[in-house]
Amino acid sequence: LNASEPTLGLTRNGDLYYTAFQSNVRIEVVKSPDKGRSWRIVSPNLGGRNAHLVSLDPYLYVDKATSRVFNIDLTVACSYLSFTDGKGWTTNPLACGRPVNDHQTLFAGPPATSTTIGYPNVVYYCWNDVGSSSCSKSLDGGITFLPTGTPAYPGFDPANDDPGFEGVPGFCGGLHGHGFVAHDGTVLLPKGHCGQPWLSISKDEGLTWTRVQVARNGTADHEADAVMDRKGNIYYTWIARNRLPYLAVSRNKGKTWSKPMMIAPPKVTEANLPAMDIGGRGKIAIVYMGTENARGPIKKRKYDNVTWNGYMTMTANALSRRPVFYSSTVNEKSDPLIRRDCGPGRCRAVFDFI
């Protein structure tokens, strides 16, 4: 079966939750209580039927602080959201700030300026509406949502002369990576913006944003990821113009950035769809799709016999002058995850993100 746009969450008691598009366009949430040895369907249910009738983008998120599981499915006009604390689901049939939604991300973290109600964290929902990258927030754990303020990114940037979205200069679109909330309530939203890696930072729950350019070696796509540790160090990953994965670090909360570090193992010739998580100061794990057998100039490569694997690259000293990276595929190379081309941008059956 295909598993498009998969997301995976782990609760504090060890339960795994997973969702993705299936080959027959079904969207289900499945759960494993035994580290993946067995799985069962636990989808939100109303009257004996799946409460989420349609999804153009499935997405699942587990709040690390509370282990609340959020399952949000896109309908373009808005999204259906259900959440559970382990027993039963609460369903919100209209979870968004305003209509025309695409490529959503949902994430949570401590409040910076607000008082929450009945739930300790602010829940953020950000999406692409073509003309901008916009966000809404919930102060009651996902029951109601309010607009945050100014967009994190404009859809059109006339001052930018890099090739834009769909090749239109200045039109950068609203597609972005997945968001992150730091321990102090700082919100990070990364984006390949008009051909370069950018990060939008908000210290007031999305009311206002500061946009910073992370590097100048280009991006192959809008997907990027960013996390922050408790000391304020920010780690940012993206796929550069040469289609290889890079990492940059800021030690001053985004004001300046280190020289980009290429992090793939030596045989990888192309990558796509980066995602990242953090375990502590300098301890990060980055995943991406990668291939070792795409050859020749990028614009003239033939992908008929190319295979793609899932890669994980980890380091425990990302802040050192010469960090050490450990990499491996998560699948046997004899059993690749994708055959033929995988991006830039959409990656065949995987689609837009992992």
Side-chain angles (χ1 to χ4, degrees), residues 9-20:
L10 175 67
T11 66
R12 286 180 295 182
N13 66 359
D15 290 335
L16 283 167
Y17 286 82
Y18 178 89
T19 193

Side-chain angles (χ1 to χ4, degrees), residues 102-259:
D102 177 47
H103 200 75
Q104 84 279 21
T105 180
L106 186 136
F107 51 101
T113 58
S114 299
T115 300
T116 57
I117 305 169
Y119 190 73
N121 285 338
V122 179
V123 180
Y124 294 91
Y125 171 76
C126 300
W127 69 93
N128 154 50
D129 57 11
V130 183
S132 67
S133 306
S134 299
C135 298
S136 61
K137 68 180 180 181
S138 174
L139 302 179
D140 52 19
I143 298 173
T144 60
F145 282 82
L146 300 168
T148 54
T150 57
Y153 295 94
F156 185 75
D157 185 356
N160 200 310
D161 58 2
D162 284 304
F165 187 66
E166 299 295 335
V168 180
F171 177 47
C172 303
L175 293 168
H176 53 73
H178 298 297
F180 179 86
V181 186
H183 66 286
D184 61 357
T186 300
V187 181
L188 308 178
L189 192 67
K191 182 180 188 294
H193 183 66
C194 269
Q196 296 292 343
W198 284 75
L199 180 65
S200 244
I201 304 170
S202 177
K203 297 182 179 181
D204 53 16
E205 298 177 3
L207 181 63
T208 61
W209 299 84
T210 299
R211 287 183 290 273
V212 295
Q213 185 169 343
V214 175
R216 299 185 180 277
N217 62 341
T219 57
D221 188 35
H222 58 267
E223 282 296 296
D225 213 346
V227 294
M228 181 190 289
D229 65 27
R230 298 188 70 84
K231 296 293 186 180
N233 301 298
I234 302 178
Y235 311 84
Y236 186 106
T237 188
W238 73 104
I239 307 300
R241 191 178 293 115
N242 63 2
R243 299 190 191 174
L244 290 173
Y246 282 78
L247 172 71
V249 176
S250 173
R251 293 170 173 81
N252 52 16
K253 298 185 177 182
K255 294 181 178 67
T256 59
W257 294 86
S258 68
K259 181 180 178 181

Side-chain angles (χ1 to χ4, degrees), residues 11-30:
T11 66
R12 286 180 295 182
N13 66 359
D15 290 335
L16 283 167
Y17 286 82
Y18 178 89
T19 193
F21 278 117
Q22 297 181 37
S23 58
N24 56 359
V25 200
R26 288 175 58 198
I27 307 295
E28 302 283 4
V29 178
V30 293

Side-chain angles (χ1 to χ4, degrees), residues 291-324:
T291 180
E292 296 183 359
N293 52 19
R295 295 287 187 267
I298 288 177
K299 293 183 178 180
K300 297 182 179 180
R301 284 180 181 172
K302 295 182 178 180
Y303 291 92
D304 294 348
N305 300 312
V306 171
T307 57
W308 297 77
N309 305 296
Y311 280 84
M312 181 178 290
T313 294
M314 304 176 68
T315 181
N317 63 343
L319 295 171
S320 72
R321 294 182 63 183
R322 299 187 65 182
V324 177

